[in-house]
Amino acid sequence: MRLVNSVLFVLQFCTFRFSGLTYDIRVPDRKIRLLGSQPEFRYWLGQKAGEGHFVGIHGALLGFNIALNDKGRFQDPNHALWNAGIGYGYSWNFGKDKRWALEANIGVGYADYIYDSYRNWHNGAKFKSNTHESYWGVTRAGLTIMYKWYTPRK
């Protein structure tokens, strides 16, 4: 699994966070392959951005190809899963220069996706097409340890 995060400080109380994800696990007859991104715009409620409580608006795009059992393999047919939601979190800064941080967040929202189902064998035949699913609930949850590279403003 590869996860890349970057945070851009936009204004005194606002940040934009971009997360990218690739995940590829394959064992005989089972696989999980994901490629996605999840940007989030955050408004910080404390003295400055990057410390304390925050609320945010997030979205996501995720392409998937998943086979968890012998019955089928599920794949997005050029229609990635997308979601949108709102979130809340808290960031604790620590260390000598406050460059280390521990962050916890959770978000709720709506997700929508369409997938095709295939037999779970090599070049398996499609047996169900354009299944549409929707979901309301937790769309983001995380616990992150980070190190901040920045130049202090004067």
Side-chain angles (χ1 to χ4, degrees), residues 19-56:
S19 300
L21 163 77
T22 62
Y23 191 75
D24 191 353
I25 292 180
R26 296 182 205 185
V27 295
D29 300 325
R30 311 284 188 266
K31 70 178 166 184
I32 299 175
R33 297 172 69 190
L34 307 172
L35 176 63
S37 67
Q38 189 171 34
E40 181 178 34
F41 180 79
R42 294 176 172 177
Y43 180 79
W44 294 83
L45 305 173
Q47 296 294 324
K48 62 181 179 175
E51 294 181 7
H53 300 273
F54 64 85
V55 292

Side-chain angles (χ1 to χ4, degrees), residues 5 7 11 20 31-32 36 44 49 53 71 73 76 83-84 88 93 100 120 135:
N5 283 312
V7 177
L11 298 169
K31 70 178 166 184
I32 299 175
W44 294 83
H53 300 273
K71 296 179 181 173
R73 177 174 57 86
D76 67 291
N83 79 32
Y88 166 79
N93 293 330
W100 287 96
N120 191 18
Y135 167 79

Side-chain angles (χ1 to χ4, degrees), residues 10-153:
V10 181
L11 298 169
Q12 183 179 1
F13 297 108
C14 299
T15 58
F16 179 78
R17 179 178 181 159
F18 178 81
S19 300
L21 163 77
T22 62
Y23 191 75
D24 191 353
I25 292 180
R26 296 182 205 185
V27 295
D29 300 325
R30 311 284 188 266
K31 70 178 166 184
I32 299 175
R33 297 172 69 190
L34 307 172
L35 176 63
S37 67
Q38 189 171 34
E40 181 178 34
F41 180 79
R42 294 176 172 177
Y43 180 79
W44 294 83
L45 305 173
Q47 296 294 324
K48 62 181 179 175
E51 294 181 7
H53 300 273
F54 64 85
V55 292
I57 298 171
H58 64 267
L61 284 175
L62 179 73
F64 60 92
N65 186 344
I66 301 173
L68 298 176
N69 57 37
D70 296 332
K71 296 179 181 173
R73 177 174 57 86
F74 310 100
Q75 182 175 343
D76 67 291
N78 300 320
H79 180 278
L81 176 149
W82 66 270
N83 79 32
I86 57 173
Y88 166 79
Y90 191 86
S91 182
W92 297 268
N93 293 330
F94 59 93
K96 182 180 177 185
D97 296 328
K98 302 284 186 189
R99 290 186 181 248
W100 287 96
L102 176 64
E103 180 180 290
N105 67 61
I106 190 159
V108 295
Y110 174 78
D112 184 81
Y113 55 102
I114 296 173
Y115 63 91
D116 292 339
S117 301
Y118 298 84
R119 301 286 177 214
N120 191 18
W121 56 71
H122 185 67
N123 291 329
K126 185 189 297 185
F127 67 88
K128 197 171 185 184
S129 186
N130 289 327
T131 303
H132 182 256
E133 299 284 342
S134 298
Y135 167 79
W136 285 97
V138 175
T139 53
R140 181 180 189 120
L143 185 62
T144 307
I145 297 173
M146 66 183 97
Y147 183 81
K148 301 174 185 179
W149 282 281
Y150 63 88
T151 304
R153 294 182 184 169

